[in-house]
Amino acid sequence: MKQFFKFMFASCLGSALMLIIALIIMIWVVGSSTSDSVSVKPKTVLYMNLNYDIPERTTQDNITTTLMNLRDLEGDYSGLNDIIANIDFAKNDPNISGIFLELSTVGTSTANLEELRKHIISFRESGKFVITYSETMAQNAYYLATAGDEIYLNPDGMLDIHGMASQIMFYKHLLDKLDIEMQIIRGPNNKFKSAVEPYFLDKMSAANREQMTKLLNTMWSKVVSDISVARNIDAQKINELADNLELTFDAKVALEEGFVDGLAYRDEIIARIKDLAGISKTGKINILNNAQYASVRPQPKAKANKIAVIYANGQIFDGEGDDETIGSITLSKAIREARENRKVKAIVMRVNSPGGSALASEVIRREVELAKAEKPFIISMGSYAASGGYWISTEGDYIFADPTTLTGSIGVFGTFPNAKKFLNEKVGLTFDVVKTNKNADFGSITEPLTDYQKAMLQKYVGNTYNDFTALVARTRGLRQSYVDSIGQGRVWAGADALELGLVDELGGLDKAIEYAAHKANLTDYSIKDYPKQMDIMDMFMSGSIPEPYTKSLIKNKLGKNYTYLETVENISRLDGIQALMPFMIVE
């Protein structure tokens, strides 16, 4: 019988390995044949369908990317880095006539949309066209579209401009039903640190509502102002139409009010693109998407001098990280490698993080401090660099943020669940303990914290908050009392953070790189990205599933509801004292 199971297991393992090898070969062949057929002919149009969750940088997992592209032939999953590089290169490419944006919604933040708009405007100013079409267009897609020349909507389509909202999910009633008590320890005066409010409230506190109102109004004013300038529409009129939803349910209103240049079907748009590109009615347009163009455009030549761009993306945890999470070990190693690389003359850290573990943030900050002592270290804040995301940014020589970057949130908290009643009364489990010391069972979820334990935790959280405000005061040249007054867990938009002294200048990643080059006295350099990305073979060898692919599938199925699943997943990983931003922006 043992021999039977042995041979059966060996047979199954062999079959599985053969299947994996066959899959790799098949995708390699498909990818190779696809790559061979791609070329940039005269009058080529760069096609951008950005209706997906845009990562900061394109995954190096080529097989996963190919799988995703095979599943959705009209789209690709290029990262923000390649999209911007494509736009900038195409601006001077004589074979590229224009850009065709086909947008329903864009899976990225307002801050990243600002950066994309700047590059598209620069492309258009070169004399080439940018045309946008959609059957239904969300307001984030429309915001991007206004950087172009012409915007078209399907005659029966929708232009969904309705303003911004912040939505928070509260767990209090769920926890009450389960008889689970979430014991909360907050830093002193951290009234704006609302990450813990969902555990004991069923709606926003007055302080949180105050900060969210200020934050959203700052962000929305920027969006409305940019739309107003681009389309020559009065800002008050934009808000009136957003309030009454007229644009959402009547495409004719969008045309009459000047939000779009015409109502048309897709075949008419193709005809318009041919006309703009100088192609005959019977001629064929050579269209390349971002992934295709990135595969054939010349890559920058490696130079002796390099600027490192370190991507710090996602919630901060202790240990290892990946493209979508910041692990203290992984990111610290990347910073250390950039510091020790003699060819790297300056470092730019691109931060997109709502925060996370305070301890992990401090571990990363120390590596930034060491690197800063040896070479220029510049911070580029993307969608958000709040709480722990701000913590790891403090040591930078100079901090750039976009006007709508979410930052600040200088505050800390700790959560400690007490599941005694749930386990006793709901599940029917009871526990007993023998211990050598009074607090030997500290941290157990089967008993509530004692008054002494709460006091010790409060002291620890208070000390961590004091360390945070002292760190900001030291690195930003501010009084600690002032940092506390603008801290207390409060989130600020980048434009407000500039006025408060929390950042140095408004600008995107390109400006941060230019500044780093200036500080390092570089005129001729190339970019080196960190951390090294895993490819498909690394994933198989480590036993992990290609996460970008699996997450993409789930996101496509759940749409906006994916955020709730992601929130629950991140909560399940919370451990220790947290410096974390709690909410999401709905656009």
Side-chain angles (χ1 to χ4, degrees):
M1 183 62 72
K2 288 182 179 179
Q3 288 293 106
F4 170 76
F5 283 113
K6 179 180 178 181
F7 285 120
M8 185 180 73
F9 175 76
S11 176
C12 291
L13 180 61
S15 298
L17 288 173
M18 288 301 295
L19 181 63
I20 291 171
I21 292 170
L23 181 65
I24 291 172
I25 293 172
M26 180 192 74
I27 296 172
W28 178 79
V29 170
V30 172
S32 298
S33 62
T34 302
S35 177
D36 291 341
S37 64
V38 173
S39 63
V40 188
K41 303 172 184 176
K43 300 180 181 180
T44 291
V45 174
L46 184 56
Y47 174 76
M48 294 191 180
N49 184 327
L50 305 178
N51 303 328
Y52 63 95
D53 193 25
I54 302 173
E56 271 291 306
R57 54 177 174 162
T58 305
T59 176
Q60 294 305 302
D61 171 13
N62 296 323
I63 293 178
T64 295
T65 303
T66 303
L67 279 169
M68 291 191 289
N69 288 340
L70 285 173
R71 182 171 51 80
D72 182 5
L73 294 175
E74 288 194 346
D76 65 75
Y77 292 79
S78 298
L80 188 67
N81 60 336
D82 270 332
I83 296 171
I84 288 176
N86 283 346
I87 295 170
D88 290 347
F89 189 84
K91 177 172 64 176
N92 299 309
D93 187 341
N95 288 324
I96 297 292
S97 296
I99 294 176
F100 175 25
L101 294 171
E102 190 161 26
L103 308 172
S104 293
T105 184
V106 184
T108 192
S109 67
T110 304
N112 283 345
L113 289 174
E114 285 184 76
E115 295 200 25
L116 281 171
R117 287 183 89 257
K118 291 174 186 175
H119 290 272
I120 289 174
I121 289 171
S122 177
F123 174 91
R124 192 190 69 196
E125 289 173 347
S126 70
K128 300 183 179 185
F129 69 84
V130 179
I131 188 169
T132 305
Y133 174 72
S134 183
E135 293 177 358
T136 60
M137 194 180 298
Q139 68 187 22
N140 59 359
Y142 182 74
Y143 179 50
L144 181 60
T146 58
D149 299 289
E150 300 175 10
I151 305 173
Y152 294 93
L153 196 64
N154 184 283
D156 293 318
M158 298 168 61
L159 179 56
D160 190 14
I161 295 180
H162 53 258
M164 289 183 175
S166 172
Q167 189 175 60
I168 300 173
M169 183 164 58
F170 292 85
Y171 330 114
K172 179 184 182 300
H173 294 309
L174 172 63
L175 295 175
D176 288 345
K177 289 181 179 181
L178 295 174
D179 280 332
I180 296 176
E181 175 195 12
M182 192 62 76
Q183 302 163 107
I184 308 298
I185 309 294
R186 279 201 281 189
N189 302 320
N190 276 204
K191 63 180 181 178
F192 294 103
K193 197 65 180 177
S194 57
V196 294
E197 289 185 357
Y199 297 118
F200 61 88
L201 295 177
D202 57 11
K203 60 182 180 180
M204 294 184 196
S205 66
N208 192 24
R209 192 170 296 278
E210 176 189 338
Q211 76 166 333
M212 290 312 307
T213 300
K214 169 66 174 174
L215 181 65
L216 289 173
N217 282 333
T218 299
M219 295 175 66
W220 181 239
S221 294
K222 170 64 176 171
V223 170
V224 169
S225 175
D226 287 346
I227 293 174
S228 176
V229 171
R231 300 297 301 181
N232 194 27
I233 304 172
D234 184 70
Q236 184 177 346
K237 186 64 176 179
I238 296 173
N239 278 308
E240 287 176 3
L241 291 167
D243 284 341
N244 61 32
L245 297 178
E246 280 190 66
L247 293 170
T248 304
F249 298 108
D250 193 342
K252 292 178 182 177
V253 175
L255 178 61
E256 291 167 359
E257 298 293 346
F259 284 82
V260 299
D261 297 288
L263 304 180
Y265 294 96
R266 197 174 191 274
D267 62 289
E268 295 175 297
I269 300 304
I270 298 301
R272 176 60 177 156
I273 291 173
K274 285 183 179 182
D275 181 51
L276 291 170
I279 300 171
S280 67
K281 292 181 180 180
T282 57
K284 185 177 181 181
I285 308 174
N286 187 43
I287 292 182
L288 298 182
N289 66 22
N290 274 308
Q292 292 168 328
Y293 189 58
S295 71
V296 294
R297 65 173 164 80
Q299 297 301 310
K301 293 182 179 179
K303 305 293 178 62
N305 295 323
K306 303 183 187 302
I307 292 179
V309 176
I310 300 174
Y311 288 89
N313 187 59
Q315 193 166 326
I316 302 172
F317 300 101
D318 300 293
E320 301 285 348
D322 52 36
D323 276 359
E324 298 193 7
T325 60
I326 298 174
S328 57
I329 293 176
T330 304
L331 189 58
S332 293
K333 180 183 177 183
I335 298 170
R336 188 162 54 252
E337 287 176 350
R339 168 169 61 90
E340 294 174 349
N341 188 338
R342 288 182 293 179
K343 294 181 179 180
V344 172
K345 305 303 181 182
I347 300 171
V348 174
M349 187 162 75
R350 175 68 168 183
V351 182
N352 272 295
S353 175
S357 166
L359 177 58
S361 300
E362 174 59 17
V363 170
I364 295 167
R365 182 211 63 82
R366 172 60 178 170
E367 288 295 335
V368 175
E369 181 183 28
L370 294 174
K372 171 188 173 181
E374 296 187 21
K375 52 192 70 175
F377 200 109
I378 313 304
I379 302 296
S380 170
M381 294 180 171
S383 303
Y384 37 62
S387 209
Y390 189 77
W391 190 312
I392 67 175
S393 303
T394 52
E395 292 286 356
D397 290 301
Y398 205 76
I399 300 176
F400 286 89
D402 285 304
T404 57
T405 294
L406 305 183
T407 188
S409 192
I410 301 167
V412 293
F413 67 90
T415 59
F416 302 87
N418 168 25
K420 182 176 182 178
K421 289 183 69 176
F422 168 73
L423 294 169
N424 291 175
E425 300 177 15
K426 303 293 187 192
V427 183
L429 297 176
T430 58
F431 299 84
D432 205 351
V433 64
V434 175
K435 51 189 178 181
T436 59
N437 296 82
K438 288 183 180 180
N439 293 293
D441 59 344
F442 170 67
S444 170
I445 65 170
T446 62
E447 292 290 337
L449 295 169
T450 66
D451 290 340
Y452 175 78
Q453 290 169 347
K454 285 181 180 179
M456 292 298 290
L457 284 168
Q458 187 65 63
K459 180 180 178 182
Y460 179 49
V461 170
N463 288 339
T464 304
Y465 178 66
N466 183 69
D467 291 344
F468 198 171
T469 54
L471 169 65
V472 176
R474 173 178 63 80
T475 56
R476 301 300 303 168
L478 304 169
R479 296 189 314 276
Q480 189 170 0
S481 59
Y482 170 75
V483 175
D484 174 61
S485 71
I486 63 172
Q488 302 177 20
R490 182 159 186 168
V491 181
W492 300 96
D496 295 322
L498 178 65
E499 294 181 7
L500 296 169
L502 294 177
V503 304
D504 295 295
E505 190 173 333
L506 298 180
L509 179 59
D510 52 345
K511 288 192 70 173
I513 292 173
E514 288 173 9
Y515 185 85
H518 170 71
K519 296 296 289 184
N521 296 315
L522 297 177
T523 55
D524 193 30
Y525 58 88
S526 57
I527 303 298
K528 184 173 178 58
D529 291 347
Y530 292 88
K532 180 181 180 295
Q533 291 177 296
M534 291 178 70
D535 60 24
I536 191 70
M537 292 311 298
D538 292 330
M539 292 181 181
F540 276 124
M541 293 300 291
S542 67
S544 64
I545 299 172
E547 196 168 13
Y549 180 56
T550 54
K551 283 197 172 183
S552 174
L553 289 175
I554 297 171
K555 287 176 181 177
N556 284 348
K557 288 293 183 184
L558 296 181
K560 289 185 177 181
N561 294 322
Y562 175 80
T563 308
Y564 302 115
L565 177 63
E566 191 174 36
T567 300
V568 173
E569 180 187 8
N570 288 336
I571 288 170
S572 68
R573 295 186 63 180
L574 295 184
D575 184 33
I577 303 304
Q578 300 290 314
L580 182 66
M581 189 183 72
F583 51 79
M584 62 179 177
I585 304 295
V586 179
E587 299 180 47

